[in-house]
Amino acid sequence: MNGYGYRLGAIGIVTTFFIIIFSTVLMPMVIFKPKTTTSANDYTVENKTGDPIRGRRIYIREGCFYCHTQFTRLQDREYGPLVKAGDFNYETPHQLGTERTGPDLTNEGNKYSAEWQKAHLIQPRALKPGSIMPSFSYLSEHDMNDLVVYLQTLGNKREVKAYVQPPDEYLPTTLTGQELLKNKHVNTSGDAEANAGRGIYTQDCAGCHGLDGRGNGPNSISLTKKPSNFTRPFFKQYSDEMWFYRISEGVVGTRMPRWNLTLSEEQRWYLVAYLKTLQKDVEETVDDLSQVNKPEQIKLPKLSNQQYEPHHGGH
Amino acid sequence: MSNLLDKFLSREEGSASRNFLLSAVWWSLWGMGAGLFAAMEFSNPDLVHNIPQFSMPHLRMWHVNAVAIGWLSMGYVSSIFYMVPNLCKTKLYSERLGNFTMWAWNLVMVAAMGTLLNGNTEGREYAELGAILDVLVVIALCSVTFNIVMTVAHRKVQKLYVSLWYFLGSLFWFPLVYIIGQRTFVALPGLNDAIVGWFYGHNILGMWFTTVGVGMMYYLIPRFTQAPLYSHGLSMLGFWGIALFYAPTGTHHITQSPVPEWLKAIAIISSIFLLVPVLTVLTNFFMTMKGKWQMVVTDLPLRFAATSCIFYLITCTQGPFQATRWVNWYLHFTQWVVGHAHLALLGTFSFILTSAIYYMLPRLTGREWQSQGLIRAHYWLKFLGFGLMMTSLTIAGLVQSAGWAMGIPVDQWVITLVPYWFLRSISGVMIVTGQCLFAYNIYQTLFGAASAPESPPKGKLKEVAA
């Protein structure tokens, strides 16, 4: 009978639906209760400089989570320690996010100074040329302050065991990595080695990264993707292997070349030794054209005709 | 008084469907316009300054809600109000209730525009609307359900055509999904919030947009082609497959977060199983179309519907693969996914809704479409515009994926994406222009001088069964 079939179908729909609700909505709520970890971000703690709870509400109101995520994954080499399930117990509503137009903010706290953060929110392109982050200049002083206080709480309690990681082939966990370390004869913490690296740096890197590593070499003016500023405290977490990997393979999509094509392994290790000495406690930002290194006028010596055409192949 | 009542809560046959249809088109202009605006801010972030209402995240919230709850959902209700009485050979149970729903829904949309553009959001993706609006939406949805269930109860034909299964199923579970998904009055801890959130986020698509949209395809394609449906058995298999496999897939949106592995496994496996109902449904359509493909040359509404089916095939083959861990590892967080979402909502379901509107409006009002040329222009602008959008977002997504996989800082490669974002703005211009032509065509058809009804609307409403 047709009426019967209709009723059977209706019962079928209802049962299916409730089984699914039970297994994927109710059951996780009952059996998935991770214990709050010590690294969970308790932004409700009193803070003298502002109100992070309100700041979080502004983060939501301004829709930062449409471009920024708040969970790190294994392959996110740049974004600090991996999150654990219990880290999220204070996060209601969750701000995991689904799309990353900008960087992950899980461990953003204290990565930059509060002033930097404010300036960046007002005009991102002043600090990061080519950024497409919208300007939030319309936020009131009060809003801005609380938002930045909230940003500065992010990930502060996460204990850092391992930070930025180079790909496996640079790590001692793989055969290639072990091979690499076997051939490393440079003490990357030594002063003499750093000094040796400094020579290579001045010759090969300073053109873009600047003599003192602030990303202010003469070439930096013409680059849309600005060279890194090595005075950033962020770089303190780089392991030797990470430095070595970056120097060796360059940064795809930028002018940073693959130095493994021109420098020997030994030279690159010397560079690592030098680069590790450049970090400061507070980043030295370059915010003025006058701070960009100028190429010194090269005084060419007067050369004789003979000197212009040097003899090749011996004296 | 009763005059006023009749004007605003009309009892005229087909008026609820027509009013929903017009509202849907109205909100589509706002929603798609906001999308275009947001897209332009991506390629030119300093386009507007110091106007919070036009800041990109606010525009995005409004864009998503306007196209999902305004354009698509209102259009869907319009189609349901038209198709269900036709399939049951009876009248809509209460036109007055239908019109009341229409006003409530429009009220929600106006309020949504006011609140979302100012950032008054609950901070949950796809569930941004505030508490009062959530309640209103649920009331509206329940009154639609009530209306349709009563219509079906008064039907004059015994057998329920497959479209009715889809509509009734959707109207049963979507209000529930919506209530669960809003989490308005509960505060769950982070990851549980995310699990419920993505149950909702995926099922607004899977148990509303897909199921109603597929129901509409089942209704329209046999009518356009004047051919009987290829197989009723397959259609039932497809229906139960969707009902079974769609609902638990939500967690595939957060497979890389620390939620329980068993939940991820359920989500991934059922995502892959989704290929079964999708392919059954499409086999059914394509077999119905067999030998009739040349009709898309002349029959424009059919062309929209056929395009929609093909986009559906592409979305639903992308989907299961994106859910697998390896592909997800590479593609998650990128513009690829944005492209995928547009393929479903704009490519598939907007197209089928447009097709339905081209089919329904003459039958609801008794007026023929004013201009075939405009329909053609609408099709090509939307089709090519969408193609461009999909291509640019997909390529941008692959560039981004490579960036994440190589561990390169974002600000080093974000500039690389500007050309693709620029192309997306262009595609947005094409799509919005298409939609404006569509709205203009509707306006001309309804109010233009040249289109007085040839026969009273009532006569046309009853159509011959296919």
Side-chain angles (χ1 to χ4, degrees):
Chain A
M1 241 178 57
N2 278 323
Y4 180 67
Y6 171 50
R7 231 166 290 147
L8 200 68
I11 294 170
I13 295 179
V14 175
T15 339
T16 324
F17 184 74
F18 282 109
I19 291 175
I20 288 162
I21 301 268
F22 176 76
S23 60
T24 55
V25 179
L26 293 178
M27 213 151 76
M29 279 202 240
V30 177
I31 65 176
F32 178 55
K33 285 183 180 157
K35 268 222 230 68
T36 308
T37 49
T38 44
S39 50
N41 184 27
D42 187 1
Y43 52 87
T44 53
V45 182
E46 276 286 325
N47 189 314
K48 277 189 232 63
T49 42
D51 179 2
I53 304 178
R54 190 164 170 276
R56 190 170 193 272
R57 254 182 262 133
I58 291 162
Y59 184 89
I60 290 169
R61 188 186 80 198
E62 296 309 328
C64 309
F65 63 94
Y66 292 115
C67 292
H68 291 287
T69 55
Q70 285 195 19
F71 67 100
T72 47
R73 308 173 298 169
L74 274 175
Q75 69 267 40
D76 295 334
R77 300 195 186 112
E78 199 89 14
Y79 294 109
L82 208 59
V83 291
K84 300 185 200 70
D87 288 356
F88 292 93
N89 285 0
Y90 299 107
E91 308 282 334
T92 309
H94 76 88
Q95 294 298 307
L96 295 180
T98 43
E99 207 272 336
R100 273 189 196 161
T101 305
D104 185 85
L105 296 183
T106 317
N107 298 307
E108 181 68 15
N110 290 346
K111 191 166 153 187
Y112 298 96
S113 67
E115 290 72 34
W116 188 94
Q117 290 287 8
K118 268 181 212 165
H120 182 254
L121 284 168
I122 291 169
Q123 181 43 287
R125 277 154 293 288
L127 296 152
K128 296 271 183 121
S131 165
I132 64 134
M133 173 151 150
S135 147
F136 292 94
S137 51
Y138 54 79
L139 290 179
S140 70
E141 191 57 39
H142 183 198
D143 285 1
M144 188 71 87
N145 192 45
D146 287 348
L147 178 58
V148 170
V149 168
Y150 168 66
L151 286 179
Q152 296 291 47
T153 67
L154 289 173
N156 278 352
K157 297 219 234 127
R158 220 156 262 134
E159 234 173 85
V160 181
K161 296 232 173 58
Y163 246 130
V164 187
Q165 289 281 334
D168 285 347
E169 60 268 30
Y170 286 83
L171 294 176
T173 48
T174 58
L175 281 178
T176 43
Q178 286 158 11
E179 190 72 12
L180 185 74
L181 286 185
K182 221 167 63 202
N183 295 331
K184 170 185 171 189
H185 303 299
V186 177
N187 169 15
T188 46
S189 317
D191 285 345
E193 285 80 358
N195 218 4
R198 182 157 183 257
I200 306 171
Y201 179 89
T202 327
Q203 196 170 0
D204 288 330
C205 318
C208 291
H209 290 284
L211 283 170
D212 40 7
R214 294 192 290 163
N216 58 342
N219 288 343
S220 68
I221 298 179
S222 61
L223 297 175
T224 27
K225 299 169 188 174
K226 298 294 179 205
S228 286
N229 179 344
F230 296 126
T231 63
R232 276 173 66 191
F234 169 77
F235 285 111
K236 283 182 187 171
Q237 1 135 357
Y238 266 36
S239 60
D240 286 3
E241 291 85 7
M242 183 67 200
W243 281 117
F244 187 81
Y245 155 65
R246 268 278 170 263
I247 299 169
S248 304
E249 302 208 356
V251 182
V252 181
T254 72
R255 292 289 302 278
M256 169 77 181
R258 302 171 65 100
W259 289 104
N260 57 4
L261 301 178
T262 31
L263 297 179
S264 70
E265 252 176 49
E266 192 184 354
Q267 283 173 311
R268 279 176 268 149
W269 284 119
Y270 281 130
L271 267 177
V272 172
Y274 176 62
L275 288 173
K276 279 166 65 182
T277 64
L278 290 175
Q279 287 72 51
K280 302 273 155 59
D281 286 335
V282 180
E283 174 184 349
E284 294 174 358
T285 33
V286 175
D287 46 16
D288 196 329
L289 220 54
S290 66
Q291 286 170 301
V292 174
N293 296 157
K294 285 180 198 59
E296 273 166 36
Q297 195 109 67
I298 301 164
K299 303 224 166 45
L300 289 173
K302 284 217 163 58
L303 300 174
S304 70
N305 202 26
Q306 211 177 8
Q307 281 169 307
Y308 271 123
E309 289 164 14
H311 305 282
H312 286 289
H315 303 277
Chain B
M1 182 63 208
S2 80
N3 220 339
L4 210 63
L5 204 64
D6 274 343
K7 199 163 164 63
F8 283 101
L9 294 174
S10 169
R11 280 213 190 107
E12 188 195 327
E13 201 184 335
S15 63
S17 175
R18 184 198 59 213
N19 292 344
F20 259 107
L21 188 155
L22 297 179
S23 316
V25 174
W26 166 253
W27 291 116
S28 78
L29 298 179
W30 289 91
M32 294 183 186
L36 168 61
F37 200 167
M40 293 199 302
E41 288 187 11
F42 260 81
S43 43
N44 182 2
D46 285 321
L47 194 63
V48 284
H49 236 298
N50 263 330
I51 309 176
Q53 285 77 10
F54 290 160
S55 130
M56 178 264 151
H58 294 166
L59 283 173
R60 184 196 138 141
M61 288 177 215
W62 165 241
H63 163 66
V64 169
N65 281 276
V67 295
I69 304 197
W71 156 240
L72 281 178
S73 295
M74 287 182 104
Y76 274 13
V77 175
S78 162
S79 317
I80 292 177
F81 277 174
Y82 173 81
M83 290 172 184
V84 171
N86 263 317
L87 287 169
C88 295
K89 301 232 177 338
T90 176
K91 289 181 183 165
L92 186 64
Y93 175 67
S94 164
E95 288 287 342
R96 183 159 274 180
L97 180 63
N99 276 310
F100 167 78
T101 320
M102 186 273 299
W103 287 113
W105 209 303
N106 275 309
L107 181 70
V108 170
M109 291 317 295
V110 173
M113 185 169 175
T115 50
L116 294 180
L117 284 181
N118 281 309
N120 296 325
T121 157
E122 286 186 2
R124 294 161 163 132
E125 220 173 342
Y126 305 116
E128 284 99 345
L129 294 182
I132 303 171
L133 298 185
D134 288 342
V135 174
L136 266 177
V137 170
V138 171
I139 292 176
L141 279 176
C142 289
S143 56
V144 173
T145 309
F146 174 73
N147 217 341
I148 290 303
V149 169
M150 293 309 283
T151 311
V152 174
H154 288 116
R155 69 187 187 281
K156 303 250 161 52
V157 274
Q158 260 297 313
K159 212 163 153 22
L160 292 175
Y161 182 62
V162 56
S163 295
L164 281 175
W165 283 90
Y166 276 101
F167 294 155
L168 286 171
S170 318
L171 285 171
F172 161 69
W173 53 52
F174 184 55
L176 288 170
V177 167
Y178 193 86
I179 292 169
I180 295 171
Q182 295 303 314
R183 294 153 285 160
T184 308
F185 304 107
V186 290
L188 299 170
L191 287 180
N192 283 312
D193 192 49
I195 292 169
V196 180
W198 283 113
F199 167 79
Y200 164 73
H202 196 82
N203 285 334
I204 186 174
L205 185 93
M207 309 193 87
W208 176 244
F209 293 131
T210 300
T211 44
V212 180
V214 169
M216 282 157 67
M217 293 179 190
Y218 271 120
Y219 182 93
L220 292 172
I221 290 178
R223 275 176 177 68
F224 286 142
T225 53
Q226 306 282 322
L229 189 63
Y230 171 67
S231 156
H232 279 274
L234 270 188
S235 70
M236 275 297 120
L237 187 66
F239 174 79
W240 289 108
I242 287 191
L244 200 62
F245 295 130
Y246 235 120
T249 53
T251 313
H252 70 206
H253 289 259
I254 39 175
T255 44
Q256 299 182 65
S257 70
V259 298
E261 290 297 322
W262 60 268
L263 201 57
K264 295 181 196 171
I266 294 182
I268 295 170
I269 292 166
S270 37
S271 304
I272 293 169
F273 268 117
L274 264 185
L275 277 173
V276 176
V278 167
L279 293 179
T280 357
V281 163
L282 284 170
T283 311
N284 218 347
F285 291 151
F286 290 152
M287 291 308 281
T288 309
M289 289 281 291
K290 197 174 166 195
K292 310 251 177 185
W293 283 97
Q294 78 283 359
M295 285 176 79
V296 300
V297 179
T298 47
D299 189 341
L300 293 171
L302 174 64
R303 196 192 290 176
F304 271 99
T307 316
S308 159
C309 289
I310 289 166
F311 282 144
Y312 186 56
L313 178 65
I314 306 174
T315 332
C316 291
T317 25
Q318 271 190 340
F321 289 100
Q322 281 164 216
T324 57
R325 283 173 199 262
W326 176 247
V327 180
N328 193 276
W329 183 95
Y330 193 65
L331 289 179
H332 196 53
F333 286 152
T334 66
Q335 297 288 323
W336 171 292
V337 185
V338 181
H340 174 71
H342 280 92
L343 185 55
L345 290 189
L346 177 60
T348 310
F349 302 123
S350 249
F351 268 73
I352 192 67
L353 177 56
T354 313
S355 164
I357 290 178
Y358 278 129
Y359 174 81
M360 294 186 309
L361 197 72
R363 290 171 173 78
L364 283 167
T365 60
R367 291 160 191 260
E368 281 308 316
W369 282 99
Q370 178 73 16
S371 158
Q372 290 292 316
L374 281 180
I375 303 183
R376 212 163 263 132
H378 179 200
Y379 178 82
W380 285 113
L381 279 169
K382 218 168 162 176
F383 179 72
L384 294 178
F386 177 69
L388 184 62
M389 168 188 277
M390 192 62 206
T391 319
S392 58
L393 285 178
T394 302
I395 299 176
L398 290 173
V399 174
Q400 274 183 304
S401 311
W404 289 122
M406 297 289 291
I408 299 167
V410 188
D411 38 307
Q412 300 290 334
W413 45 260
V414 86
I415 307 176
T416 333
L417 300 177
V418 171
Y420 305 111
W421 276 326
F422 184 72
L423 284 180
R424 175 173 68 172
S425 309
I426 293 181
S427 75
V429 172
M430 292 167 75
I431 292 165
V432 173
T433 315
Q435 199 71 8
C436 289
L437 295 182
F438 180 40
Y440 176 74
N441 204 359
I442 291 179
Y443 177 81
Q444 283 295 317
T445 305
L446 291 184
F447 305 109
S451 68
E454 301 133 23
S455 55
K458 297 241 165 54
K460 278 239 168 176
L461 194 56
K462 290 271 166 298
E463 65 182 286
V464 218

